[in-house]
Amino acid sequence: MSLPNRLVHEHSLYLRQHAYNPVDWYPWGEEAFKIAREQDKPVFLSIGYAACHWCHVMEHTCFEDESVAHLLNAHFISIKVDREEHPDIDAIYMNVCQAMTGSGGWPLSLFLTPDKRPFYAATYIPRDSSPGMPGMLDILPYLADVWKTRKGEVHAIADQIITAILKHNERNQPGNIQDIVENAAKNLINRYDPVHGGFSRAPKFPSVSTLMFLFRYSWYQNESNILSMVVKTLDQIAYGGIRDHLDGGFHRYATDNAWKLPHFEKMLYDQAMAVLVYTEAWQVTGSLSYKHIAISALEYMMHSLQEKEGGFYSSEDADSPGGEGAYYLWTYDEISHLCGSDAEIVCQLFHLSKNGNVSGVHGMKPGDNVLYPQENPIEKLKSLGISDPQEYYQKIIHTLRTARANREKPATDDKILTDWNSMAVWALAYAGSVFQIDRYIMQAIKTADFLFSTMVRSDGTVLHRWHDGDVGIAGTSSDYLSLSWSCMVLYQVTGDEKWFIRSQDLEKEASLRFYDHQNGGYFQTESLVDLPVRLKDHTDGPVPSVNGIAYLLLRSLGEITGDEEYIKKSQDIERYYAKSEEWVAYSSPSFLMGLCENKHRGRAVLMGDPKNPEYSKMWSELWSCFCPGFIRIPVRGNKSSIIKNILGSDVLDSIPKVLICARNQCYPPVTSVEKLQEFLRKSDVFKGDEVSNATESPDK
């Protein structure tokens, strides 16, 4: 093993994993670029993250190799970046890679001039060349020679790349914002996979924001066929190999069309987003299976990713000592030994075989099986003649979970990130309210309190990363706006005005630091950041884009306060998307969600004595309905300046009642659970009378 390099003292697990490489690594910072300028060397920039399987592969094949290390150390200044610590850096150079190569992914490999401008980009690079894929041992000498002998061409290429990135999303004439939703829905419908669900070919990501957008579009447009597409997709994901059927939670994506073989890392943000969409699926359909799936993901988060202080760790790795996915794979002989007389049924239930159900696929070994029920396991057990399928299924799960607990778990990336934890707060608070489970709401409050006590400074500055008591890295707009949005959700859940004030304060800070007053929208970084370009995060990945979240937030703040400044900024975001290429708007379903909700925005204020049983029942009824775009506010005190602003007067009495305002009108107070149920059924305010025939009606 080599002597430790500069990464040994870094807080990032991903960087520390490279601390004993023979490569003379630097962390991102001015020191590395200063030395590159002084020594007139190009920079090799390697970006990845701890749970990334192919990042580990490239480390073992290239960065632990003495020949590769010698070339890097002799001719380049090498910088290692954790993309989760520096999403702003990753976003810029991922844009570069996609523009130059037509694709992207991690590990991300770039070669830069000493002033940070890129001139060569790739993703995974092997040690040795093969047909169609140059290796590091050939690329490094070639680029070193190009730098020495054709430096002028290198700088010219770098200039062209930066110019192209800046112009990439511009078009001369703005589009019609009213057409964007319809066109995006049609675009998705044309891409739908009718066999396996989903809206892309392999590899398949859950793309939760897309599903949440289509929930809204199908609901408001009464499009039962689109609703059926979303429901089928959610079922295929829930009963595919992409879900961990033992401990709950979801893997990052499926490598195949049928959601069978996952890429095995488990990310915090994927759990949070899955909780949100399956909670909404329960609201729309009333199917208890979706409630169980959402709760199982929450339980996984709290059991496996929670830090004792209140935050949540970032991820669990794809790899374990036995290789990629080894912790999650089973052989036929293992099942036979563990399950005895039940083994045949277990194999039928999860489609396990002696030869393996994923053997030879993406590096899986002969005999490898993933747990792949493909349909609701309880219904499958019923069809197999099991008298008590629920109890039988729980016995199977307990047996397999107990056996798997004896395996060595994949590593946990134990850093805590502000924006990802804000997503967790959103999911916990929302699901806790919908399902009326106080434990989840209390955890949401605990996590938010942790973020404000550690990540938010007294001057309003938000930091991005916490690890083992150390806080660092300047927050991006995602940290500010995601935390602001989670506070908005907590305000609706608790009625505590503290969260609303915090939401306003964070949005104000975000606007001061990141808002584009000329073209609308929020930049990812502050203007003072020394990067070659300043980008806006406008497309959704596994989580909503910054400007998608900002749009939802601004609309909600405007609905509560009536402040035209919030509405103006949201309209600026609309104009920004309208002036971008059409694919940009299609790629931000969180923004499309907001556009869908605009026609149905309003608020429901519940007042009265919280100790009155009728109050709790009415509150539960409000949350169980699917009514996106509506603000729910519980009045739990008579001194709320916000409520006074909304209602125009102080709260007058303690009798439970719901005051609903929407579509520029306010309805008579609803004073009982029965009347509220009738209102929700008959009124089109919430579209509660238009449950598709393709789904179950809500079980209330």
Side-chain angles (χ1 to χ4, degrees):
M1 180 179 289
S2 302
L3 293 174
N5 57 47
R6 295 173 187 82
L7 304 185
V8 72
H9 298 299
E10 290 296 308
H11 287 281
S12 162
L13 173 62
Y14 176 63
L15 267 59
R16 295 199 308 274
Q17 288 171 342
H18 294 75
Y20 289 89
N21 296 164
V23 178
D24 188 20
W25 289 114
Y26 287 81
W28 180 273
E30 181 52 35
E31 178 189 4
F33 291 100
K34 179 175 181 290
I35 292 174
R37 291 191 296 270
E38 291 174 350
Q39 297 183 8
D40 191 25
K41 288 182 177 179
V43 170
F44 171 61
L45 175 63
S46 176
I47 303 176
Y49 59 103
C52 168
H53 168 70
W54 285 101
C55 298
H56 299 322
V57 173
M58 191 165 177
E59 181 196 3
H60 297 322
T61 58
C62 292
F63 304 141
E64 292 178 352
D65 182 82
E66 294 288 347
S67 300
V68 172
H70 172 74
L71 289 170
L72 284 171
N73 296 340
H75 303 292
F76 301 88
I77 300 298
S78 299
I79 298 176
K80 177 62 70 173
V81 166
D82 182 339
R83 65 113 174 172
E84 296 168 359
E85 282 197 329
H86 295 284
D88 49 344
I89 297 168
D90 176 63
I92 289 172
Y93 293 111
M94 184 61 73
N95 267 267
V96 167
C97 185
Q98 290 169 334
M100 293 182 72
T101 69
S103 64
W106 298 276
L108 185 59
S109 306
L110 296 109
F111 292 84
L112 317 177
T113 65
D115 58 357
K116 304 176 185 174
R117 293 176 302 146
F119 61 90
Y120 186 93
T123 53
Y124 171 78
I125 305 176
R127 175 185 184 273
D128 299 297
S129 298
S130 59
M133 179 173 278
M136 291 288 274
L137 292 180
D138 290 322
I139 288 175
L140 295 176
Y142 170 74
L143 291 179
D145 181 69
V146 167
W147 178 257
K148 290 179 181 177
T149 61
R150 297 154 57 189
K151 197 172 297 181
E153 293 179 37
V154 171
H155 283 291
I157 290 171
D159 289 340
Q160 291 171 9
I161 293 169
I162 294 300
T163 301
I165 294 298
L166 289 171
K167 291 185 176 180
H168 185 51
N169 299 323
E170 297 178 2
R171 63 179 175 183
N172 294 328
Q173 295 297 324
N176 187 342
I177 196 70
Q178 302 303 324
D179 295 336
I180 287 178
V181 170
E182 293 292 333
N183 292 340
K186 290 176 183 176
N187 180 272
L188 287 167
I189 292 168
N190 291 335
R191 290 160 45 194
Y192 177 67
D193 178 351
V195 178
H196 302 295
F199 297 88
S200 69
R201 289 176 289 183
K204 279 187 171 177
F205 291 79
S207 301
V208 168
S209 296
T210 294
L211 301 178
M212 293 172 72
F213 157 59
L214 290 176
F215 259 151
R216 284 151 179 76
Y217 181 83
S218 62
W219 192 253
Y220 293 140
Q221 300 295 329
N222 198 25
E223 291 276 1
S224 60
N225 62 320
I226 299 177
L227 184 56
S228 298
M229 293 178 186
V230 179
V231 168
K232 180 178 178 66
T233 300
L234 288 171
D235 286 343
Q236 293 291 307
I237 293 171
Y239 304 127
I242 191 174
R243 181 169 171 237
D244 181 353
H245 298 279
L246 302 185
D247 286 338
F250 292 81
H251 300 293
R252 186 161 168 256
Y253 65 87
T255 61
D256 63 318
N257 282 318
W259 307 98
K260 185 177 185 179
L261 178 62
H263 198 35
F264 287 96
E265 67 256 43
K266 296 168 81 173
M267 317 298 292
L268 173 61
Y269 53 68
D270 283 327
Q271 316 316 314
M273 295 303 293
V275 169
L276 290 169
V277 75
Y278 281 101
T279 299
E280 289 193 346
W282 178 81
Q283 289 175 312
V284 172
T285 70
S287 174
L288 289 174
S289 62
Y290 296 139
K291 178 179 179 179
H292 297 152
I293 292 164
I295 287 176
S296 71
L298 285 171
E299 291 298 322
Y300 163 73
M301 283 170 51
M302 294 177 68
H303 177 266
S304 298
L305 296 178
Q306 187 180 1
E307 199 274 339
K308 62 182 180 180
E309 298 280 343
F312 287 91
Y313 297 137
S314 297
S315 64
E316 285 191 324
D317 207 329
D319 291 13
S320 52
E324 183 188 7
Y327 181 73
Y328 302 99
L329 296 168
W330 302 87
T331 65
Y332 183 86
D333 289 343
E334 280 182 291
I335 299 297
S336 298
H337 174 72
L338 289 168
C339 300
S341 60
D342 294 324
E344 184 177 346
I345 291 178
V346 173
C347 288
Q348 289 185 59
L349 184 65
F350 292 113
H351 293 84
L352 312 179
S353 70
K354 290 183 179 179
N355 294 328
N357 61 16
V358 291
S359 296
V361 182
H362 291 284
M364 297 295 103
K365 302 184 297 297
D368 281 343
N369 288 279
V370 295
L371 300 181
Y372 180 59
Q374 203 172 6
E375 60 184 297
N376 190 319
I378 305 303
E379 298 301 320
K380 178 71 171 179
L381 289 172
K382 284 181 183 178
S383 71
L384 294 174
I386 302 300
S387 58
D388 189 343
Q390 188 68 49
E391 181 180 350
Y392 191 90
Y393 183 67
Q394 290 305 318
K395 183 182 75 169
I396 292 171
I397 295 300
H398 176 74
T399 298
L400 297 179
R401 184 187 291 136
T402 301
R404 197 173 73 175
N406 293 319
R407 301 175 179 177
E408 187 172 347
K409 286 194 69 174
T412 299
D413 187 344
D414 59 351
K415 64 176 178 290
I416 293 174
L417 303 176
T418 299
D419 50 353
W420 293 11
N421 272 253
S422 299
M423 294 291 105
V425 171
W426 178 11
L428 285 158
Y430 190 82
S433 294
V434 170
F435 302 134
Q436 294 293 289
I437 301 176
D438 289 342
R439 186 165 64 93
Y440 298 145
I441 298 173
M442 297 307 295
Q443 179 61 54
I445 293 170
K446 181 180 180 181
T447 302
D449 283 338
F450 167 80
L451 294 175
F452 276 94
S453 65
T454 58
M455 312 297 264
V456 182
R457 291 176 173 169
S458 59
D459 65 354
T461 300
V462 178
L463 297 174
H464 178 61
R465 187 262 298 135
W466 181 97
H467 175 259
D468 197 22
D470 181 87
V471 182
I473 304 177
T476 66
S477 56
S478 178
D479 294 301
Y480 286 78
L481 292 166
S482 296
L483 185 54
S484 177
W485 175 247
S486 71
C487 290
M488 172 60 68
V489 177
L490 279 175
Y491 171 59
Q492 296 183 67
V493 167
T494 66
D496 187 341
E497 201 166 300
K498 168 182 73 176
W499 298 113
F500 184 78
I501 294 169
R502 286 177 169 177
S503 181
Q504 285 185 302
D505 290 345
L506 286 163
E507 192 284 324
K508 182 179 179 181
E509 284 293 330
S511 290
L512 288 172
R513 297 167 185 267
F514 307 103
Y515 188 68
D516 181 354
H517 292 276
Q518 182 176 352
N519 299 304
Y522 293 81
F523 288 108
Q524 194 169 18
T525 58
E526 294 190 52
S527 58
L528 298 178
V529 174
D530 184 20
L531 288 169
V533 291
R534 193 182 185 205
L535 297 179
K536 293 175 185 172
D537 175 24
H538 49 229
T539 58
D540 291 22
V543 297
S545 66
V546 166
N547 282 287
I549 283 287
Y551 188 76
L552 295 170
L553 172 67
L554 292 166
R555 283 288 180 174
S556 297
L557 288 168
E559 182 67 38
I560 293 174
T561 65
D563 189 335
E564 288 297 322
E565 182 63 24
Y566 295 128
I567 303 302
K568 178 186 177 298
K569 281 190 281 192
S570 70
Q571 291 170 342
D572 287 345
I573 292 176
E574 291 177 11
R575 283 189 286 273
Y576 165 72
Y577 276 105
K579 289 190 295 183
S580 301
E581 290 288 352
E582 203 164 50
W583 69 266
V584 174
Y586 293 175
S587 300
S588 184
S590 55
F591 169 65
L592 300 177
M593 285 163 52
L595 289 181
C596 276
E597 293 173 3
N598 284 347
K599 295 179 181 179
H600 304 274
R601 290 193 181 278
R603 57 181 179 264
V605 178
L606 173 63
M607 63 173 60
D609 182 1
K611 296 179 182 178
N612 188 317
E614 199 79 354
Y615 181 101
S616 298
K617 292 176 183 177
M618 294 170 80
W619 189 235
S620 175
E621 197 67 35
L622 277 175
W623 277 99
S624 65
C625 76
F626 182 68
C627 46
F630 253 72
I631 303 293
R632 307 168 181 88
I633 304 174
V635 180
R636 292 172 179 159
N638 293 331
K639 296 182 179 180
S640 171
S641 59
I642 298 171
I643 297 300
K644 183 176 180 179
N645 177 66
I646 291 174
L647 302 180
S649 64
D650 291 318
V651 178
L652 299 178
D653 57 53
S654 61
I655 299 173
K657 60 173 67 75
V658 180
L659 306 179
I660 296 175
C661 295
R663 298 179 180 176
N664 299 315
Q665 63 177 311
C666 292
Y667 298 85
V670 182
T671 55
S672 71
V673 174
E674 291 74 23
K675 290 180 179 179
L676 181 59
Q677 290 172 336
E678 182 180 0
F679 181 91
L680 297 179
R681 283 196 301 270
K682 292 184 177 180
S683 172
D684 66 351
V685 171
F686 298 109
K687 298 297 263 188
D689 58 334
E690 296 183 0
V691 178
S692 165
N693 292 330
T695 64
E696 298 178 51
S697 295
D699 57 5
K700 278 93 36 214

